[in-house]
């Protein structure tokens, strides 16, 4: 089964345990008969997928989640579908946190991702146009601008997650998920969460 998660930066594909990403406008015309089951949060990039492959099926309507949250993104729904109890952190272009308890989605929140944080600071002033330092010391007050920006971005995310998770298990996914997972003892990094949720939903429909 070939799965695709159409995001806001890349299209992520999954097939037989292998994951890869492609740029939307770099997709080449395919002639394979293997259908692509996909979800999408970006209509423009979705059209790129549809134009590149003869048989694409949007499975968003199959992904049902018990939640009071209005407007929850389909990618977040899919990741939550894979976990019945715990906190799901998707650290990509944006960082989302969703709390699952006994199969019910309790709610969640959204923060800028590290790349977005860097861009926002650069937009404030050219003096803040610095690369973030992933190895910044988070236990000592910074003494230069690069460390100060890095400290503010990284530690604010970590503290928010710690405040949210408390004793719950943490499940990280997304491009920066592995980086953030190392700051938590009760964390698992799994870059297949969205696809696991898609598979779980599809088992009832195909």
């Amino acid at each position: 089964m070939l799965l695709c998660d159409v995001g806001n930066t890349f299209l992520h594909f999954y097939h037989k345990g292998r994951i890869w990403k492609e740029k939307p406008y770099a997709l080449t015309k395919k002639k394979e008969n293997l259908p692509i089951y996909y979800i999408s949060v970006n209509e423009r990039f979705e059209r790129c997928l549809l134009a590149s492959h003869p048989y694409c099926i949007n499975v968003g309507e199959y992904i049902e989640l018990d939640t009071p949250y209005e407007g929850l993104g389909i990618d977040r729904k899919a990741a939550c579908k894979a976990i019945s109890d715990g906190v799901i952190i998707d650290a990509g272009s944006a960082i989302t946190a969703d709390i699952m308890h006994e199969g019910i989605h309790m709610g969640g929140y959204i923060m800028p991702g590290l790349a977005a944080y860097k861009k926002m600071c650069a937009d404030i002033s050219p003096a803040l146009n610095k690369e973030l330092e992933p190895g910044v010391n988070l236990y000592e007050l910074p003494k230069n601008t690069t460390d100060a920006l890095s400290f503010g971005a990284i530690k604010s995310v970590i503290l928010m997650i710690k405040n949210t998770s408390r004793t719950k298990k943490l499940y990280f996914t997304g491009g920066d998920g592995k980086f953030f997972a190392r700051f938590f003892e009760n964390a698992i990094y799994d870059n297949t969460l969205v696809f696991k949720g898609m598979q779980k939903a599809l088992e009832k429909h195909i």
Side-chain angles (χ1 to χ4, degrees), residues 104-174:
I104 299 173
H105 179 255
M106 309 303 292
Y109 55 85
I110 305 170
M111 297 180 286
L114 292 182
Y117 186 96
K118 176 185 179 301
K119 183 179 183 304
M120 285 191 300
C121 290
D123 288 343
I124 294 170
S125 167
L128 301 181
N129 188 11
K130 307 286 187 182
E131 293 296 326
L132 298 183
E133 172 50 61
V136 65
N137 187 340
L138 298 177
Y139 302 97
E140 183 179 290
L141 282 176
K143 304 296 191 299
N144 61 71
T145 303
T146 296
D147 284 354
L149 289 168
S150 305
F151 184 100
I154 296 168
K155 193 157 188 175
S156 62
V157 173
I158 292 170
L159 291 177
M160 276 289 285
I161 294 171
K162 282 185 176 179
N163 183 63
T164 303
S165 62
R166 302 187 185 276
T167 60
K168 280 188 174 292
K169 193 83 173 177
L170 287 163
Y171 298 85
F172 285 85
T173 190

Side-chain angles (χ1 to χ4, degrees), residues 56 66 80 109 170 175 206:
C56 298
D66 188 354
C80 289
Y109 55 85
L170 287 163
I206 63 171

Side-chain angles (χ1 to χ4, degrees), residues 176-194:
D176 290 322
K178 185 179 286 187
F179 169 74
F180 281 112
R182 66 191 179 96
F183 295 102
F184 301 88
E185 292 183 2
N186 60 334
I188 292 173
Y189 172 70
D190 186 348
N191 63 347
T192 66
L193 278 185
V194 169

